[in-house]
Amino acid sequence: MSKALAVKLRLKQPSVIPGFGLTLGYTLTYLSLIVLLPLAVLLIRASEAGLSGILAAATEPRVAAALWVSFGISLLAALVASLFGLLVAWVLTRYDFPGRDLVGAMVDLPIALPTAVAGIALAALYAPNGWIGGPLERLGITVTYTPLGIFVALVFIGLPFTVRTVEPLIAEIDRDQEEVSATLGASRVKTLWSVMLPPLLPAMLTGFALAFARAVGEYGSVIFIAGNLPYVSEIAPLLIVIKLSEFDYTGAIVIATIMLAISFLALLAINLVQAWSRRRFGDV
Amino acid sequence: MSDVSVSRVGPSLRRSGSGWRSVTTEPRAVRWIAIACAIAFLAVFLVLPLTVVFAEAFRRGVGAYWAAFQEPDAQAAIQLTLTVAAIAVPLNLIFGVAAAWAIAKFEFRGKSLLITLIDLPFSISPVVSGLVYLLLFGAQGLWGTWLMEHGIKIAFALPGIVVATIFVTFPFVARELIPLMQEQGTADEEAALTLGASGFRIFRTVTLPNIKWGLLYGVLLCNARAMGEFGAVSVISGHIRGLTNTIPLHVEILYNEYNFVAAFAVASLLAGLALVTLAAKTLLEWRYGHVLASRTPH
Amino acid sequence: MNGPSGDTRTALRTWKVSAWLKRGLLGLTGVAVLFLADGAWAQTHLLNVSYDPTRELYREINQAFSHVWKKLTGETVTVRASHGGSGAQARTVIDGIDADVVTLGIPSDIDAIARLTNKIPADWRAKLPNNSLPYTSTVVFLVRKGNPKGIKDWDDLAKPGIRIITPNPKTSAGGRWNFLAAWGYAQAKEGGTAEKAREFVSAVYKNVPVLDTGARGSTVTFAQRGLGDVLPTWENEAFLVLDEFGKDKFDIVVPSVSILAEPPVALVEGNVSKKGTRKVAEAYLEFLYSNQAQAIFAKHRYRPLKPEAAKPEDLALLPHLKLFMIESIEPDWDKIQKNNFENGGLFDQISKR
């Protein structure tokens, strides 16, 4: 991805390889039909509501609360997923231990496991009578049907992104720099902190943004474990479904548009971070 | 004919975990604590949810497990899901190959914008994906009246479920192939061209052998997502039993009918698919790591 | 590194990828065509779009109707059903699902279809006997075995510390009946006023930790996940929980008075005309009033319109309690819907925290 983005807008270079018109034409047609046209319809329908209509629907307390729940918990979950993602990626690339390949393979599970399956599994696991929920309940911690449940589901969703973005970079860390740092008398902690962490930061930010974007929009795994209580544990995607059930199309469209804007912003942020890191650290 | 194909040996897998000098690693105790933390975290967040699916599915024994699949509604759901994937995955496969060819082999204006747009469905909420198609094909939607007048059913029927699935799994094959084909450059194809091969033949005999494992993984992932899609399909399916319920929707229905064993049994089918996908990926990486690009995740 | 050996690499090169790909694609297309061409359309299909707790009920009704129709006309008819929160289900009809009949949880959801599409006439309630209600139901309380919180009547729901599981009234008909039952109870009781009713409902919903989108979701939350002290729910749903989870785990508490819940049925005129299924769809709705169907309603713990058709032992299980009609307090359904459940209505006001 980074390489692709490194390619500055350039005029088409002449190329001897055939098929440019065919493949690009097909790509653009398919993209327009499947993605752009439907999204354009969404935006047109949103604009029909008028700016005042959009503002009114967006600032409705319940909508604002749902967006806040989605954003707040997604940010927290992406943060936690980033930290553990760094740890897991570090352990997987740097240390050798029995079963490492198996552990490495498991990291992608949340991508391959359907969200509804993840939802009922997490709900069964963290319910007051579940394997993890039981012991936690005795400690006075309720996970299911609270914002904590949403958090658990979103960490699950975000983990592969945060691991997989930093993993190749840890593998590419220049060993010489580490050695130089150690030879110059820096402690291991200092070497980790000031020599090795900075080049990882852009990748961590990218992973964070990916996990966040995914978490904000997540539906299947959350609805089974969240309490779905307005103002407390109701997420924005669920509110879209509820607005539809209430025949409030404008409300649903406005929330969807806001979420679409968030998706764009997250992608934009990822591109900016990568552009910045290329300037700062070269092509990573 | 494979004469014109040029085999490339890519960079080797970075899989050496031992053998650093002590200055560039942490004390043994720190290492083991870190490993223990990572494994504990993964166990709680990944392994246990997966285990619980199978544990709940087999709680009443193998008989109850199999009974879940004898239900006509379950069989209809499995059939529908296979149909949807059989249409959606090949379409996204063709798109992925075309997009990767255009993006990886040529330089043109607006390329990064195009890549961002291809990535877009990946970060859009599944519910929004379902909603946009409802706005197009629903009775209150843009084309709803016209479709109704001509008796064409898209929303709450197979076509609606298929397009929603295509949208959600749109980037998977393309995202797998683009970095891979970029890394491999155009030298092989140019060489084949000088030997007089036609465009499609170059693709078949030069490019495809180079990317087939990446392609296979992209297809597997795309397939797992297609079969497991819930949010988008839920909005546009209409939940008609035996007609528009896919496997994940059937799981939700069983779950809501107190039929937990059957819900988890049917869910275990998808969990099994996820495991197969992961196993295939690991196998591919382990065996052909040099022809799978170091990738950003999906 | 575990790279492929020289032999494997040669094998890779000579591997006929294109043939593999072609065969794979052909196979997939074949499968798709097979499924599409499946003779699923050879016979008559009816689609009944229903609400959440009627899954078990309509499975039996639909089979019974198919038998009757086959005997009567020799035609094979398959009735398919779709279930979900009543509001969500009405939305799918509005968005164009080709339902032949709707059997929803509350009249206002069918009103919404009539208002937003022209597929159901505005006077739909007059088209079938008893205001288009082949059966009725009510709201009772399901509590944990032995009723540890001592919940006896509606007043107990407003007490602090009681956790109530009820579905979202905006999407669920059951949720709306629960809301209206609490509201009507407070309004109709001695000294009740609109203001007091509002305070009472507000206190009740302060005790709700989870709002599912449908009645069935709430039941799962309460019964399977063990959350909450009381589940005010459809009478039939409460009995179903006793059957499914065991009578040793839950008790049904019958309040002193409750609401007469009215889940109506209607023909989706616009769809049956287009599909040419009017005759069989009308017969299906009439069948709901037949003795056979009435007995099935009672068997599933709904209150049949014709009790004489039901088995006495089924009827004996249904508790006797005073039922009030919400129309006796507010006759205008549009107002009920608007004042309580639409944006900015009573439910929105009280759920702000």
Side-chain angles (χ1 to χ4, degrees):
Chain A
M1 178 160 197
S2 51
K3 258 187 198 159
L5 293 171
V7 176
K8 291 261 156 41
L9 293 180
R10 243 181 265 163
L11 274 176
K12 190 190 152 198
Q13 288 175 347
S15 169
V16 289
I17 295 178
F20 179 70
L22 180 72
T23 53
L24 188 68
Y26 181 75
T27 301
L28 291 178
T29 312
Y30 193 76
L31 178 75
S32 307
L33 282 178
I34 299 289
V35 180
L36 300 183
L37 176 76
L39 293 183
V41 171
L42 175 72
L43 295 180
I44 290 168
R45 288 291 294 268
S47 67
E48 276 167 11
L51 194 62
S52 57
I54 294 175
L55 276 177
T59 51
E60 191 198 308
R62 186 163 167 211
V63 176
L67 288 169
W68 174 241
V69 167
S70 277
F71 271 95
I73 301 181
S74 297
L75 278 173
L76 269 178
L79 193 70
V80 169
S82 293
L83 295 178
F84 276 95
L86 179 64
L87 174 73
V88 170
W90 183 269
V91 165
L92 284 179
T93 26
R94 279 293 176 115
Y95 304 153
D96 209 4
F97 56 94
R100 187 180 66 173
D101 286 350
L102 192 71
V103 173
M106 286 303 291
V107 170
D108 279 337
L109 181 74
I111 295 176
L113 192 71
T115 53
V117 178
I120 61 170
L122 289 172
L125 198 57
Y126 287 90
N129 51 8
W131 292 348
I132 300 179
L136 286 177
E137 190 74 16
R138 279 193 285 284
L139 296 172
I141 305 170
T142 311
V143 179
T144 37
Y145 312 114
T146 67
L148 194 57
I150 305 178
F151 171 79
V152 168
L154 295 184
V155 171
F156 175 84
I157 292 300
L159 191 68
F161 304 98
T162 58
V163 176
R164 293 298 184 222
T165 40
V166 288
E167 219 179 0
L169 277 138
I170 295 177
E172 278 167 25
I173 288 178
D174 192 353
R175 294 240 162 231
D176 293 344
Q177 280 191 22
E178 273 184 84
E179 269 177 61
V180 169
S181 172
T183 334
L184 291 178
S187 70
R188 183 69 191 153
V189 174
K190 185 145 196 229
T191 303
L192 285 177
W193 182 256
S194 51
V195 176
M196 311 184 58
L197 194 63
L200 296 182
L201 265 181
M204 283 182 72
L205 278 173
T206 303
F208 173 84
L210 281 169
F212 172 75
R214 199 72 189 178
V216 168
E218 179 56 23
Y219 176 70
S221 60
V222 175
I223 55 162
F224 290 99
I225 201 172
N228 305 333
L229 192 68
Y231 301 94
V232 180
S233 55
E234 185 174 71
I235 56 165
L238 174 67
L239 195 53
I240 294 179
V241 173
I242 291 177
K243 289 275 177 195
L244 279 178
S245 312
E246 292 166 10
F247 321 118
D248 181 4
Y249 282 78
T250 310
I253 288 165
V254 168
I255 303 172
T257 310
I258 294 172
M259 301 203 53
L260 187 64
I262 296 165
S263 309
F264 268 123
L265 286 178
L267 282 179
L268 187 68
I270 293 168
N271 287 358
L272 287 178
V273 164
Q274 285 182 339
W276 169 75
S277 88
R278 267 195 308 279
R279 278 200 307 276
R280 176 81 174 68
F281 302 103
D283 191 19
V284 287
Chain B
M1 292 255 281
S2 53
D3 315 13
V4 285
S5 107
V6 181
S7 103
R8 286 178 83 254
V9 179
S12 67
L13 256 191
R14 289 167 197 281
R15 272 287 153 126
S16 46
S18 54
W20 337 116
R21 265 153 300 180
S22 59
V23 286
T24 55
T25 191
E26 290 71 48
R28 178 179 284 270
V30 174
R31 285 207 310 253
W32 285 111
I33 290 170
I35 292 171
C37 282
I39 290 182
F41 178 81
L42 292 179
V44 167
F45 271 87
L46 301 180
V47 181
L48 276 182
L50 190 65
T51 319
V52 93
V53 172
F54 291 98
E56 294 274 330
F58 285 105
R59 207 171 48 175
R60 300 233 176 100
V62 180
Y65 181 83
W66 282 119
F69 298 102
Q70 303 306 313
E71 274 278 312
D73 284 351
Q75 287 171 359
I78 293 170
Q79 202 181 58
L80 176 66
T81 297
L82 289 176
T83 311
V84 170
I87 301 170
V89 175
L91 285 175
N92 278 344
L93 166 72
I94 296 168
F95 161 75
V97 171
W101 184 270
I103 287 169
K105 306 286 179 197
F106 303 96
E107 296 307 329
F108 54 91
R109 216 183 261 282
K111 190 149 115 173
S112 24
L113 179 67
L114 180 61
I115 294 175
T116 307
L117 287 176
I118 290 175
D119 272 346
L120 192 59
F122 162 76
S123 57
I124 289 180
S125 174
V127 172
V128 176
S129 320
L131 174 68
V132 294
Y133 285 111
L134 212 53
L135 295 177
L136 268 183
F137 303 124
Q140 317 288 308
L142 189 63
W143 298 330
T145 323
W146 188 88
L147 290 169
M148 288 273 238
E149 275 165 9
H150 292 77
I152 304 169
K153 285 198 289 186
I154 293 187
F156 313 117
L158 180 69
I161 300 174
V162 170
V163 286
T165 306
I166 289 179
F167 184 102
V168 172
T169 57
F170 187 80
F172 280 80
V173 178
R175 291 303 296 138
E176 196 63 37
L177 290 187
I178 291 170
L180 187 59
M181 283 168 70
Q182 274 177 337
E183 204 169 276
Q184 289 172 344
T186 55
D188 292 356
E189 283 81 5
E190 278 159 12
L193 205 64
T194 55
L195 294 176
S198 71
F200 190 66
R201 176 131 170 240
I202 294 175
F203 172 73
R204 249 177 40 208
T205 53
V206 180
T207 315
L208 200 53
N210 279 340
I211 61 167
K212 64 187 168 198
W213 300 117
L215 186 68
L216 181 60
Y217 180 53
V219 167
L220 279 174
L221 210 58
C222 180
N223 183 58
R225 290 303 291 202
M227 290 193 171
E229 179 48 33
F230 177 73
V233 170
S234 167
V235 173
I236 203 154
S237 120
H239 305 268
I240 307 169
R241 284 158 170 272
L243 195 63
T244 63
N245 270 331
T246 60
I247 300 179
L249 297 179
H250 189 62
V251 168
E252 187 200 18
I253 282 185
L254 290 170
Y255 188 80
N256 282 339
E257 286 176 1
Y258 318 125
N259 205 339
F260 301 108
V261 170
F264 280 100
V266 177
S268 74
L269 211 60
L270 293 169
L273 177 71
L275 283 179
V276 168
T277 307
L278 291 188
K281 183 217 162 178
T282 313
L283 204 69
L284 287 175
E285 256 178 0
W286 175 73
R287 198 81 187 79
Y288 307 109
H290 66 297
V291 286
L292 287 172
S294 64
R295 70 184 72 81
T296 49
H298 304 267
Chain C
M1 99 161 225
N2 297 296
S5 65
D7 284 347
T8 325
R9 220 174 286 138
T10 319
L12 286 185
R13 238 178 294 144
T14 50
W15 202 46
K16 292 266 191 274
V17 182
S18 55
W20 163 77
L21 199 67
K22 238 185 268 165
R23 229 175 291 138
L25 276 179
L26 269 180
L28 284 175
T29 322
V31 169
V33 168
L34 267 181
F35 280 122
L36 288 174
D38 189 21
W41 307 105
Q43 39 167 306
T44 313
H45 287 272
L46 280 189
L47 175 58
N48 174 4
V49 169
S50 192
Y51 59 111
D52 222 3
T54 54
R55 298 155 191 259
E56 296 78 12
L57 168 73
Y58 277 111
R59 192 173 294 159
E60 190 166 347
I61 293 264
N62 293 346
Q63 274 172 8
F65 175 72
S66 291
H67 280 299
V68 169
W69 190 251
K70 180 100 187 170
K71 231 186 257 166
L72 209 66
T73 65
E75 289 169 25
T76 306
V77 59
T78 309
V79 187
R80 290 205 161 102
S82 149
H83 300 272
S86 186
Q89 292 295 88
R91 195 269 299 168
T92 63
V93 178
I94 291 165
D95 272 336
I97 202 168
D98 54 358
D100 301 280
V101 299
V102 284
T103 56
L104 295 178
I106 197 162
S108 49
D109 282 333
I110 300 185
D111 285 339
I113 301 173
R115 195 173 62 244
L116 293 171
T117 72
N118 47 13
K119 289 181 174 175
I120 294 179
D123 61 341
W124 60 270
R125 293 199 79 170
K127 303 270 174 183
L128 287 163
N130 191 33
N131 269 336
S132 295
L133 295 167
Y135 64 92
T136 57
S137 188
T138 187
V139 173
V140 297
F141 304 155
L142 193 70
V143 296
R144 309 221 171 265
K145 191 72 194 173
N147 196 0
K149 297 274 170 132
I151 294 156
K152 294 271 177 331
D153 208 346
W154 290 98
D155 288 322
D156 297 319
L157 299 189
K159 287 181 182 157
I162 301 287
R163 287 182 307 161
I164 306 164
I165 305 297
T166 178
N168 186 344
K170 290 201 160 204
T171 54
S172 156
R176 260 169 281 169
W177 289 119
N178 289 351
F179 183 100
L180 291 172
W183 181 73
Y185 166 82
Q187 179 106 325
K189 102 177 177 178
E190 254 185 59
T193 62
E195 188 46 42
K196 278 194 175 154
R198 184 195 163 89
E199 275 168 27
F200 178 74
V201 176
S202 176
V204 168
Y205 278 83
K206 279 223 160 56
N207 287 340
V208 178
V210 179
L211 280 173
D212 287 289
T213 47
R216 195 42 72 82
S218 285
T219 315
V220 170
T221 301
F222 180 79
Q224 168 73 7
R225 298 291 164 230
L227 225 76
D229 304 310
V230 54
L231 177 83
T233 187
W234 295 98
E235 186 177 40
N236 51 284
E237 188 77 355
F239 277 105
L240 185 71
V241 172
L242 292 193
D243 290 343
E244 292 281 338
F245 290 88
K247 293 185 174 58
D248 54 332
K249 290 199 180 113
F250 303 100
D251 283 328
I252 289 177
V253 169
V254 180
S256 63
V257 54
S258 192
I259 197 163
L260 180 77
E262 301 163 88
V265 301
L267 184 74
V268 188
E269 305 260 358
N271 289 345
V272 292
S273 312
K274 190 168 288 167
K275 288 168 73 181
T277 45
R278 176 180 293 272
K279 207 176 101 202
V280 57
E282 278 175 346
Y284 178 78
L285 289 176
E286 276 161 30
F287 175 74
L288 299 182
Y289 291 87
S290 72
N291 287 349
Q292 191 186 353
Q294 291 286 315
I296 298 175
F297 287 133
K299 184 181 158 198
H300 289 271
R301 315 286 177 247
Y302 295 83
R303 296 178 177 240
L305 177 62
K306 297 188 221 162
E308 65 278 9
K311 281 189 191 154
E313 62 264 34
D314 284 336
L315 290 179
L317 275 170
L318 298 176
H320 290 279
L321 74 166
K322 217 161 60 184
L323 298 178
F324 66 86
M325 286 177 80
I326 195 68
E327 290 98 325
S328 64
I329 302 169
E330 171 55 74
D332 186 349
W333 265 104
D334 284 344
K335 270 194 185 160
I336 293 176
Q337 178 69 16
K338 201 158 177 263
N339 294 347
N340 295 301
F341 307 121
E342 271 169 29
N343 280 347
L346 181 54
F347 177 72
D348 274 351
Q349 295 163 29
I350 64 170
S351 50
K352 274 176 205 163
R353 307 184 174 200

